Amino acid sequence: QVQLTESGGGLLQAGGSLRLSCAASGHSFSTTTMGWFRQAPGKEREFVAAISWSGGTTYANSVKGRFTISRDNAKNTVHLQMNSLKPEDTAVYYCNKHRTQMAVTTIPGDYWGQGTQVTVSS
């Protein structure tokens, strides 16, 4: 069993910053690529960022230069630092454990957290 729990969401004005966290329990996820996805009301869930066990990263074009994904393998946690937030970033953000061991991919695995709401006002 693997459980993922997101935290850190909130309501803020455009231009502000938030740091999301994802804590994993159960089997270790330290050797698996981890990712963040988001889903806005009425829209399909989309890829945001991913990070491999060794620290390689990839980002969606819409968040490049503004978001930074990081992980602490010893603590089984992954974070998403979000700066210069825009109203378009409003969504529920989900943490995901990918199936790949080392490669950085945008394809999610079967394990999802419950999500944390991020709302950015104009």
Side-chain angles (χ1 to χ4, degrees), residues 8-20 67 81-91 93 117-122:
L11 172 65
L12 72 167
Q13 293 183 325
S17 299
L18 282 176
R19 183 172 184 256
L20 306 183
F67 291 10
Q81 178 65 47
M82 305 186 295
N83 299 326
S84 301
L85 283 162
K86 306 174 181 179
E88 306 92 272
D89 296 317
T90 295
Y93 284 71
Q117 178 71 50
V118 173
T119 302
V120 184
S121 63
S122 301

Side-chain angles (χ1 to χ4, degrees), residues 45-99:
R45 189 170 299 185
E46 65 177 358
F47 169 79
V48 176
I51 183 168
S52 70
W53 173 60
S54 61
T57 60
T58 189
Y59 299 89
N61 289 332
S62 60
V63 305
K64 285 182 178 178
R66 299 189 298 121
F67 291 10
T68 302
I69 188 171
S70 62
R71 67 189 295 164
D72 187 332
N73 293 335
K75 297 181 179 179
N76 291 332
T77 58
V78 61
H79 305 280
L80 184 68
Q81 178 65 47
M82 305 186 295
N83 299 326
S84 301
L85 283 162
K86 306 174 181 179
E88 306 92 272
D89 296 317
T90 295
V92 176
Y93 284 71
Y94 299 90
C95 180
N96 179 267
K97 182 180 185 294
H98 295 197
R99 294 175 180 173

Side-chain angles (χ1 to χ4, degrees), residues 5 17 102:
T5 304
S17 299
M102 294 187 67

